């Protein structure tokens, strides 16, 4: 730990360090946000660092203050998110800050959680602490975009992933799709899954691909595997039904044949009847279970439904240097009801990276709300 920062170190520098620490909790903090913190003593020397590791564990600012100990007295705390002021799985962070005796708290962004929502900052101000808000706010919002989205909309941040040829085909007209992308891109998908709380597919994907849908050990526990199958027309044997590696949930309509659900439950699969059994209803249920981010790895019909219902905020498209051609070949998205270019959905905040011989495009959907 560098304890002798130069005199020209700015608040932005220390907040950037706090954000780096916060990112270390990626994939482990849901339903909580990622939070990092840095403590400087009264002379501006770094004396404590910490980040939130998971729900029920100490928050980042508490860990940083514990590391600083008595040296925090009269010092400055940099934290990426407003300290909580309520009792949850852990005591209020505001009280730990007051006990530590810091004189200045620098916060990147307010907590959108209605249980906090400015109350933490107000508690500190009322206690006589100097509070600065907004340093590094844009970066903090990007870091916790999924948490902010779930709190604000009541459903997780949705990422739609596909792998396609240059001419936009995800499979040949026979349905053969293994493999469009190369091995490096497939490993990248495992990393992407590790950053998500749940991976969602439909009936067709289970029937045709028999996927495993794990991060291959890059996240523990593995993301929840979710199948949306209204009629439960699912194979009796599938890799998703093996619960020893990862948990699986199946959502279906209440009037579906109960026999398949009973068979799945005997294997440890959790079956949930929803009315309507739609992408939006599924995401609402997953949000209540604490999912901040979900990955749609489904076929074109379910992918189109997810987009139409406002359940996709980001697209991750793997583009392979191959041509498949054919009017009957499969494409990533089913019918969106778009008949003119003026109705097309805009994509923004693009990012492009090379992965082996493939390209990976990341986009945000300009319209996060349902099309209907």
């Amino acid at each position: 730990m560098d304890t002798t920062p130069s005199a020209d170190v700015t608040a932005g520098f220390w907040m950037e360090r706090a954000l780096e620490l916060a990112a270390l909790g990626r994939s482990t903090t849901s339903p909580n946000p990622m939070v990092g913190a840095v403590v400087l003593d009264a002379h501006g020397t770094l004396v404590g660092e910490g980040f939130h590791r998971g729900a029920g564990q100490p928050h980042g600012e508490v860990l940083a203050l514990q590391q600083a100990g008595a040296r925090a007295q009269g010092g400055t705390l940099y934290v990426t998110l407003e300290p909580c002021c309520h009792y949850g799985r852990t005591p209020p962070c505001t009280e730990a800050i007051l006990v530590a005796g810091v004189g200045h708290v620098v916060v990147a962004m307010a907590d959108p959680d209605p249980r906090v929502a400015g109350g933490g900052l107000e508690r500190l101000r009322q206690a006589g602490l100097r509070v600065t808000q907004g340093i590094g706010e844009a970066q903090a919002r990007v870091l916790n975009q999924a948490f902010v989205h779930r709190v604000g909309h009541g459903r997780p941040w949705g990422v739609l992933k596909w792998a396609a040829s240059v001419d936009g085909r995800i499979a040949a007209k026979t349905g053969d799709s293994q493999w469009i992308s190369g091995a490096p891109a497939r490993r990248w998908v495992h990393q992407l899954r590790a950053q998500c709380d749940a991976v969602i597919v439909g009936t067709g994907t289970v029937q045709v691909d028999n996927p495993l849908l794990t991060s291959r050990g890059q996240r523990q526990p593995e993301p929840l595997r979710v199948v949306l199958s209204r009629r439960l027309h699912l194979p009796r044997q599938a890799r998703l039904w093996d619960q020893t590696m990862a948990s699986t949930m199946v959502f279906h309509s209440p009037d579906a044949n109960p026999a398949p659900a009973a068979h799945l439950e005997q294997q440890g699969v959790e079956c949930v009847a929803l009315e309507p059994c739609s992408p939006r209803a599924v995401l609402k249920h997953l949000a209540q279970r604490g999912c901040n981010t979900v990955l749609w790895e489904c076929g074109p019909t379910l992918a189109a439904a997810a987009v139409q219902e406002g359940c996709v905020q980001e697209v991750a498209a793997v583009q392979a240097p191959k041509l498949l051609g054919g009017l009957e070949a499969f494409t990533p998205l089913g019918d969106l009801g778009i008949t003119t270019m003026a109705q097309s959905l805009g994509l923004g905040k693009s990012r492009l990276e090379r992965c082996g011989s493939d390209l990976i495009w990341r986009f945000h959907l300009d319209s996060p709300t349902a099309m209907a």
Side-chain angles (χ1 to χ4, degrees), residues 207-228:
Q207 292 174 336
V208 175
D209 295 338
N210 190 22
L212 190 57
L213 299 183
T214 69
S215 70
R216 303 305 193 269
Q218 297 187 51
R219 171 178 175 146
Q220 292 298 331
E222 289 281 357
L224 178 67
R225 302 177 298 185
V226 175
V227 181
L228 197 163

Side-chain angles (χ1 to χ4, degrees), residues 201-277:
V201 296
T203 302
T205 299
V206 180
Q207 292 174 336
V208 175
D209 295 338
N210 190 22
L212 190 57
L213 299 183
T214 69
S215 70
R216 303 305 193 269
Q218 297 187 51
R219 171 178 175 146
Q220 292 298 331
E222 289 281 357
L224 178 67
R225 302 177 298 185
V226 175
V227 181
L228 197 163
S229 180
R230 294 186 179 91
R231 312 312 307 170
L232 287 175
H233 293 158
L234 295 166
R236 288 182 63 83
Q237 301 298 324
R239 294 200 292 176
L240 290 180
W241 312 154
D242 182 356
Q243 302 302 284
T244 60
M245 189 173 300
S247 298
T248 302
M249 287 186 69
V250 174
F251 291 92
H252 61 88
S253 296
D255 58 351
N257 184 349
H263 173 72
L264 290 172
E265 289 174 342
Q266 288 175 357
Q267 299 180 75
V269 176
E270 183 179 356
C271 296
V272 178
L274 284 182
E275 183 57 49
C277 187

Side-chain angles (χ1 to χ4, degrees), residues 120-178:
L121 299 180
E122 184 60 27
R123 171 76 176 108
L124 297 176
R125 290 191 178 102
Q126 288 179 351
L129 274 68
R130 178 185 169 201
V131 176
T132 302
Q133 180 183 348
I135 304 295
E137 181 172 3
Q139 300 96 309
R141 287 191 173 277
V142 170
L143 181 69
N144 277 312
Q145 64 184 2
F147 170 76
V148 172
H149 185 269
R150 178 181 63 79
V151 171
H153 297 272
R155 58 184 182 274
W157 178 271
V159 181
L160 173 61
K161 189 259 354 173
W162 68 67
S165 60
V166 170
D167 55 337
R169 270 59 176 173
I170 62 171
K173 64 180 181 180
T174 60
D176 181 38
S177 62
Q178 296 184 351

